[in-house]
Amino acid sequence: MNPEYLGLQSILTTHMAMSGALVAVEFCLYAPKAESVQLIGEMTDWQLAPLAMQRDAKGNWRLGLRLRHGQWLYKFMVDGQIIADPANPLRAADGLGGEHSYILLGDGDWSQRAATEYGEIIKIEIASKTLQTNTQFQVYLPPDYQANRRYSLLYLMHGYRTECNQWASNGMICQFMGNLQAQGLIEPFIIVMPATVNQQNAAQYTQFLGDELYAWLLKHFSIAPGSANTAVAGMSQLSLNAFDFAMQFPTRFGLVVPISAFFSQQYLHQIAQQHIQVPFALRLYCGSEDYVFARNERFAEILLKNAVHFDYLRVNGEHSWHYWNSMTRDLLIAISEFFSGHATHELPSIALDFSQTLHESIYE
């Protein structure tokens, strides 16, 4: 790595997982007529490594595991048919038209606490002139929301093919915000959570998000305008990750946080041929076992070659809500510090070694 680029970025390489020891968990499904039952989920990389469950004399299929604290999404595969856990009331949309089940292990900032005051999430539907149809999104308001006070605004983007409720359900954003505010770790701010981008009208939806939705939010909520008070973060996305979105509105956002971003090979090749000028603060997150990790490493290398200052949290984790929940605390604190104007926790500057990550191993 050319020495002139060292120190231009702040990078932390660490091993981060939900705190706490492994917890014994038993999964159980009553299916007396089934011939085979398997557990699939974040603990098995879904269908890549399903785990066989054992049938007892009464027709119950069981499997015991030891898992780390946090949230785990899962389903059962019963004779080849994938279903949610009928005995578990904890469910959320899976982005594929169905639902998955989930469990929560241990106590963390994702937990609901009796002594903590939480904000509210409002479901909103408006008629969009840009889209020429109705569109839905959700807005988080802090517990002490006051109309005579101006709040900063975070766009919190959803993953590919998911609805606008993912950060509220699997992301447990209301619990995280309330708990961190109660601990004095963040200042209150407003969050808007739009739905995912429809590939058929991606250009129009992008315009809606950056212009029409922003103007609507300023009109209907007590939001402080300007890039110093506006940030965007979001995970995954096939065609509109947080960085790509913000670059199309270079004066809208002051802080941009791509999380496990999907950078296409075409996009990476395109920006590698240009001299990138990034007009906002930039912070990257990606799990080292994520299928998009190599692309995020390539993106970081391009930024370094263009002398772009950025923060990069590279941690153990896959493309899963268990990983995303594990970095939400750091994410929200970093965003709050940006809004407050005193982002003090610089990550240590170190050299990046891309020798093991530049070989393409990701399918288009």
Side-chain angles (χ1 to χ4, degrees):
M1 184 64 65
N2 191 325
E4 72 176 284
Y5 298 123
L6 299 183
L8 295 176
Q9 82 292 348
S10 299
I11 301 173
L12 177 64
T13 302
T14 185
H15 297 288
M16 182 175 70
M18 287 298 191
S19 60
L22 295 175
V23 178
V25 182
E26 183 180 64
F27 295 88
C28 181
L29 175 69
Y30 179 69
K33 296 182 179 180
E35 295 185 4
S36 70
V37 177
Q38 295 172 307
L39 174 73
I40 61 173
E42 292 181 332
M43 65 289 290
T44 71
D45 203 6
W46 293 100
Q47 291 173 255
L48 291 182
L51 295 174
M53 302 177 68
Q54 300 301 315
R55 185 185 189 279
D56 65 19
K58 296 182 179 180
N60 294 298
W61 295 80
R62 302 178 184 277
L63 175 66
L65 295 178
R66 295 179 65 82
L67 300 173
R68 293 196 180 279
H69 286 190
Q71 177 182 212
W72 294 93
L73 310 182
Y74 71 97
K75 292 184 179 184
F76 296 123
M77 185 182 296
V78 183
D79 294 338
Q81 180 183 2
I82 298 175
I83 64 170
D85 186 346
N88 185 355
L90 297 179
R91 293 189 182 187
D94 61 8
L96 302 174
E99 292 182 315
H100 50 229
S101 301
Y102 64 93
I103 56 174
L104 295 169
L105 303 179
D107 180 52
D109 291 317
W110 62 88
S111 301
Q112 191 89 14
R113 294 169 180 151
T116 299
E117 185 179 3
Y118 296 97
E120 64 174 327
I121 293 180
I122 305 171
K123 299 178 181 179
I124 300 173
E125 180 173 310
I126 64 172
S128 167
K129 294 181 180 179
T130 305
L131 300 175
Q132 297 185 340
T133 187
N134 287 1
T135 186
Q136 297 180 346
F137 54 92
Q138 296 190 345
V139 173
Y140 165 84
L141 298 178
D144 52 357
Y145 177 75
Q146 302 171 24
N148 60 353
R149 175 181 177 180
R150 294 289 184 179
Y151 296 86
S152 295
L153 173 67
L154 169 65
Y155 276 67
L156 194 52
M157 310 290 283
H158 290 74
Y160 180 51
R161 294 192 302 187
T162 57
E163 301 300 327
C164 60
N165 65 345
Q166 290 291 290
W167 277 102
S169 56
N170 293 135
M172 299 173 287
I173 197 65
C174 196
Q175 293 94 311
F176 272 103
M177 289 291 291
N179 291 331
L180 293 178
Q181 186 177 336
Q183 296 170 52
L185 296 174
I186 65 171
E187 295 294 325
F189 53 86
I190 293 173
I191 302 175
V192 60
M193 294 165 281
T196 187
V197 173
N198 186 319
Q199 302 303 307
Q200 283 68 45
N201 66 340
Q204 294 92 331
Y205 194 71
T206 302
Q207 198 66 37
F208 162 74
L209 292 177
D211 284 333
E212 185 180 1
L213 178 59
Y214 182 71
W216 190 93
L217 292 167
L218 290 183
K219 180 179 179 180
H220 290 86
F221 295 99
S222 186
I223 292 172
S227 60
N229 302 297
T230 313
V232 57
M235 78 286 196
S236 192
Q237 276 293 9
L238 185 62
S239 65
L240 191 68
N241 60 66
F243 179 81
D244 185 25
F245 173 47
M247 289 294 281
Q248 297 181 55
F249 298 90
T251 62
R252 175 73 69 231
F253 304 101
L255 173 65
V256 176
V257 190
I259 305 166
S260 307
F262 186 100
F263 298 104
S264 71
Q265 289 289 45
Q266 180 181 3
Y267 184 79
L268 290 172
H269 178 74
Q270 177 184 348
I271 63 174
Q273 307 306 311
Q274 305 170 357
H275 177 66
I276 306 175
Q277 293 183 318
V278 178
F280 39 71
L282 183 60
R283 187 178 184 87
L284 310 178
Y285 291 87
C286 193
S288 58
E289 292 97 19
D290 198 314
Y291 74 95
V292 300
F293 182 63
R295 299 191 183 201
N296 279 258
E297 294 285 280
R298 174 60 176 159
F299 179 66
E301 182 189 40
I302 294 170
L303 294 176
L304 287 174
K305 289 184 177 179
N306 284 272
V308 175
H309 180 99
F310 61 98
D311 293 333
Y312 186 10
L313 196 65
R314 309 153 80 201
V315 304
N316 283 351
E318 299 178 344
H319 205 81
S320 68
W321 272 110
H322 186 261
Y323 161 67
W324 294 323
N325 291 156
S326 75
M327 41 64 57
T328 299
R329 175 187 172 96
D330 183 86
L331 167 71
L332 296 177
I333 292 174
I335 290 171
S336 177
E337 289 184 345
F338 169 79
F339 287 149
S340 300
H342 52 78
T344 57
H345 66 295
E346 286 284 330
L347 304 180
S349 296
I350 62 173
L352 280 174
D353 178 9
F354 294 98
S355 60
Q356 301 301 317
T357 60
L358 296 184
H359 301 290
E360 179 56 29
S361 61
I362 303 172
Y363 296 106
E364 288 288 1

